[in-house]
């Protein structure tokens, strides 16, 4: 079996580590082939692949942006996923005034995506930042690679 991996970024490094785990834990022998993201996109659309790593970045930094990407009709729902119950959950979370209920609805949506195996998260990008003690008002958007200092205040 061959897994297509983008030839940019750290994808090869991460998938090589996962490849070793697959061999050790489930006796799955997967070859890794680097190729362009354009080739991966093309093969994804045509269905000409065994396995592929298709990077996904939500359109925004908030949890609802990530979860709404898989609702029916979303332009980011490239997998054609359809689940009427799932479609309701992100909006129900946004419509409530209860923080606890919103978290529960978002959690239900996430569990539904994973249970339906729409996507299988292989790894996630992590961004680090630090602010001085007492600094407030700075907005950090990890998925948008954006930091807004407009309302930043230092002591």
């Amino acid at each position: 079996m061959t897994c297509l991996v983008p030839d940019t970024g750290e994808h090869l490094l991460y998938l090589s580590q996962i490849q070793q785990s697959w061999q050790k834990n489930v006796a799955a022998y997967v070859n890794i082939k680097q190729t362009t993201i354009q080739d991966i996109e093309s093969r994804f659309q045509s269905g000409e692949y065994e396995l592929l790593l298709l990077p996904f970045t939500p359109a925004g930094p908030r949890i609802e942006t990530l979860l709404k990407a898989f609702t029916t009709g979303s332009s980011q729902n490239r997998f054609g996923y359809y689940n009427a119950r799932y479609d309701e959950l992100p909006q129900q979370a946004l419509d409530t005034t209860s923080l606890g209920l919103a978290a529960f609805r978002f959690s239900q949506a996430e569990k539904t995506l994973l249970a339906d195996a729409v996507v299988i998260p292989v790894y996630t990008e992590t961004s680090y930042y630090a602010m001085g003690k007492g600094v407030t008002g700075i907005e950090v958007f990890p998925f948008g690679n954006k930091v807004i200092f407009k309302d930043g205040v230092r002591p």
Side-chain angles (χ1 to χ4, degrees), residues 2-72:
T2 299
C3 182
L4 303 174
V5 180
D7 58 2
T8 58
E10 302 291 324
H11 302 298
L12 180 62
L13 172 67
Y14 296 142
L15 205 61
S16 294
Q17 293 170 356
I18 293 166
Q19 176 191 39
Q20 292 172 13
S21 176
W22 286 339
Q23 289 174 353
K24 179 181 175 186
N25 297 314
V26 294
Y29 294 91
V30 178
N31 297 313
I32 299 173
K33 179 184 176 191
Q34 284 189 291
T35 188
T36 65
I37 192 68
Q38 293 84 4
D39 183 43
I40 288 175
E41 291 280 353
S42 174
R43 289 174 182 246
F44 174 71
Q45 292 300 321
S46 69
E48 295 178 27
Y49 61 91
E50 294 172 314
L51 287 172
L52 58 77
L53 180 71
L54 185 62
F56 171 76
T57 302
R62 301 174 57 103
I63 186 66
E64 67 266 18
T65 308
L66 169 66
L67 295 173
K68 282 187 163 190
F70 297 96
T71 57
T72 304

Side-chain angles (χ1 to χ4, degrees), residues 56-109:
F56 171 76
T57 302
R62 301 174 57 103
I63 186 66
E64 67 266 18
T65 308
L66 169 66
L67 295 173
K68 282 187 163 190
F70 297 96
T71 57
T72 304
S74 168
S75 62
Q76 284 199 299
N77 185 357
R78 300 166 59 195
F79 310 98
Y81 177 61
Y82 171 76
N83 179 323
R85 177 70 182 126
Y86 175 83
D87 286 349
E88 297 171 351
L89 290 169
Q91 194 58 50
Q92 286 176 349
L94 292 172
D95 290 344
T96 185
T97 56
S98 164
L99 186 58
L101 185 55
F104 177 71
R105 295 283 189 246
F106 284 138
S107 176
Q108 283 183 306

